[in-house]
Amino acid sequence: MHPAGRGALYSSGMGDVIVVGGGPAGLAAAIAAAGRGTRVVVCERLPKPGRKLLASGGGRCNLTNTLAPDAFVARLGRHGRFALPALESFGAKRLRAFLLERGVRTESRDGLRVYPSSDRSADVLAALLRECAKRGVAVQTGTAVAGLELEGGRVTGVVTTSGPLAASSVIVAAGGPGYPDLGGTGDGHTLARAAGHAVRTPVPALVGITTRETWLRECAGVSVDGARVTAGVPRKRTSAEGEFLVTHAGVSGQAALDVSGGVSELLEERSDVPLLVSLVASVGRADWGHELDRWRAEHGRRSIAALLSERLPRSLARAVCSRAGAGDARAGHLSRSAGERLAELLTALPLTAVGTAGFARAMVTRGGVELAGVDPRTLASRITAGLFFAGEVLDIDGPSGGFNLQWAFSSGWLAGESVPPAQSREPGGTATAQNGGRA
């Protein structure tokens, strides 16, 4: 078994694979590559691997979901089809089977999101590290990769803070610049550029949105389920449904987080981005009109705000009524114009995004290594021989709900399986590839 942890750097040879990054993509890549008979070194800059994995899902680790591959890639947006070979190679069923065989049961309580049954991300990380140890992977922590060794159009190793490492293949799985406290630096993008790859400017995604409207902050801390947030301008709009959370700075919750990447992109071009919030996505404007008519007829003596508080948190209901000009109006005295304005606000509450919480709180990165320079069938560089990419470092991201972690596992596994297998010499000097690589 190769050494792991801090200390003397494992001295690799030209038949080895170096994985840059000890997150889910990097560990999956290392396990798959080691299964091909290669010696593998994982270089992780933090004192311990998997810090971001441990924090995922609030420590519960929403590691995948139950969608079929085609439906899964559709949720990845403009670059989704690129991910299909990786998902077909190591998708949700294979990931769950892999974990189950290593003592980690998983389940989906809502029929979509999949978590470890223990609700402990630490169990997932422990299983990955046990498998690394079993397959002889050297996990070298406290070791940042500062550069690639390149010669004749191919990668021959890396330069690390602990010294140089030679290798025949390098898998860059260093993530993006999101959540620097958990290891995000953007170093992988620097390595990619040095190898001749174009990098699409990264922006924060799955991050809270800062809004201009100050009145909304009176409702900070309240949330509603089943809302819809639409962000953007014509031809650049994105929409998502789920929880809508009001914060002291603006909005968050699944619906806002899932459109935040698009908001971040537009904020690179303009000073603000329009948002429209349907507070109950399943209820349209005409439906609210009918509901208001019913309240007028059946609950004329009650205030509109009190009636609306049965559908929404009280502070939010009062704030929306005030914005509509309904104030403390009783249902029986609600004017037609105020009712129309209230129905409009409930289905298309206008807000203005002026920023985000930034990379410091971004769960993922939008942008990264441009996909045109990477072969989706192997995740090998089309520019530099022996170089592979996996995970968030690539220009592909998804919404909340297990999409990004599954992509990390799938892409890491495909990259690891795609490195050339170790060569052994039979009597007479014939080189033969060693078998392996399947979970």
Side-chain angles (χ1 to χ4, degrees):
M1 182 179 297
H2 301 320
R6 300 182 72 102
L9 191 67
Y10 173 65
S11 178
S12 65
M14 281 303 294
D16 291 341
V17 176
I18 294 170
V19 179
V20 184
L27 295 177
I31 291 167
R36 293 175 68 74
T38 63
R39 295 189 300 176
V40 181
V41 180
V42 175
C43 293
E44 168 54 52
R45 69 191 317 276
L46 293 180
K48 293 182 179 180
R51 284 282 301 278
K52 196 171 181 180
L53 177 62
L54 287 176
S56 66
R60 295 178 58 215
C61 193
N62 180 193
L63 53 94
T64 187
N65 57 57
T66 59
L67 293 179
D70 282 343
F72 189 105
V73 300
R75 297 289 299 277
L76 297 181
R78 65 201 189 288
H79 293 155
R81 299 301 296 180
F82 180 92
L84 192 55
L87 291 167
E88 290 176 338
S89 173
F90 194 78
K93 289 183 179 180
R94 192 170 173 199
L95 171 62
R96 296 178 71 177
F98 172 90
L99 290 172
L100 181 60
E101 289 168 5
R102 288 149 185 89
V104 181
R105 299 181 64 86
T106 59
E107 60 185 84
S108 175
R109 297 175 187 130
D110 65 358
L112 177 62
R113 296 171 178 82
V114 175
Y115 294 86
S117 298
S118 64
D119 282 336
R120 286 172 41 87
S121 55
D123 292 345
V124 177
L125 177 59
L128 294 172
L129 293 177
R130 285 195 302 269
E131 191 64 20
C132 281
K134 178 181 176 181
R135 299 195 185 196
V137 174
V139 180
Q140 185 66 36
T141 58
T143 303
V145 174
L148 299 174
E149 295 278 12
L150 302 168
E151 183 178 335
R154 70 169 299 112
V155 65
T156 59
V158 299
V159 178
T160 80
T161 51
S162 300
L165 278 173
S168 57
S169 299
V170 173
I171 302 173
V172 177
Y179 254 110
D181 289 348
L182 301 178
T185 64
D187 288 351
H189 298 152
T190 301
L191 298 177
R193 290 189 185 97
H197 282 267
V199 175
R200 187 163 172 259
T201 302
V203 297
L206 293 189
V207 65
I209 299 172
T210 304
T211 57
R212 177 176 294 150
E213 291 74 16
T214 57
W215 66 266
L216 192 62
R217 294 168 193 170
E218 300 170 7
C219 308
V222 306
S223 66
V224 294
D225 291 324
R228 180 173 57 248
V229 178
T230 301
V233 294
R235 295 188 297 277
K236 291 185 178 181
R237 282 202 178 98
T238 182
S239 183
E241 294 187 14
E243 181 196 21
F244 174 74
L245 170 67
V246 181
T247 70
H248 289 287
V251 296
S252 187
Q254 179 187 349
L257 292 174
D258 285 352
V259 302
S260 62
V263 169
S264 292
E265 287 181 314
L266 284 171
L267 286 173
E268 294 288 298
E269 308 169 2
R270 47 189 293 141
S271 60
D272 56 45
V273 177
L275 305 176
L276 292 174
V277 182
S278 175
L279 292 170
V280 185
S282 61
V283 181
R285 183 172 177 177
D287 297 320
W288 278 117
H290 295 318
E291 185 76 341
L292 292 174
D293 286 340
R294 186 178 70 82
W295 289 349
R296 287 187 184 98
E298 299 178 10
H299 305 285
R301 297 172 63 87
R302 295 185 63 188
S303 74
I304 287 292
L307 289 163
L308 189 57
S309 294
E310 297 175 1
R311 303 291 297 272
L312 298 173
R314 182 178 297 274
S315 61
L316 185 57
R318 289 186 176 279
V320 173
C321 284
S322 177
R323 300 295 294 178
D328 293 324
R330 296 182 185 276
H333 297 136
L334 181 67
S335 68
R336 187 62 56 183
S337 61
E340 290 175 353
R341 175 64 174 158
L342 180 56
E344 179 182 353
L345 292 180
L346 290 168
T347 53
L349 180 68
L351 299 173
T352 311
V354 294
T356 72
F359 283 122
R361 291 292 179 268
M363 298 181 209
V364 300
T365 299
R366 174 162 295 185
V369 178
E370 292 192 0
L371 303 184
V374 180
D375 186 343
R377 299 166 298 177
T378 60
L379 299 181
S381 168
R382 298 184 189 272
I383 298 169
T384 300
L387 183 63
F388 298 79
F389 297 96
E392 190 181 349
V393 72
L394 288 159
D395 182 19
I396 189 166
D397 66 282
S400 57
F403 293 91
N404 295 289
L405 267 181
Q406 178 65 66
W407 164 242
F409 287 120
S410 295
S411 58
W413 196 273
L414 179 59
E417 277 197 330
S418 299
V419 300
Q423 301 291 313
S424 62
R425 293 282 176 180
E426 293 186 346
T430 303
T432 59
Q434 296 180 11
N435 294 324
R438 306 302 291 182

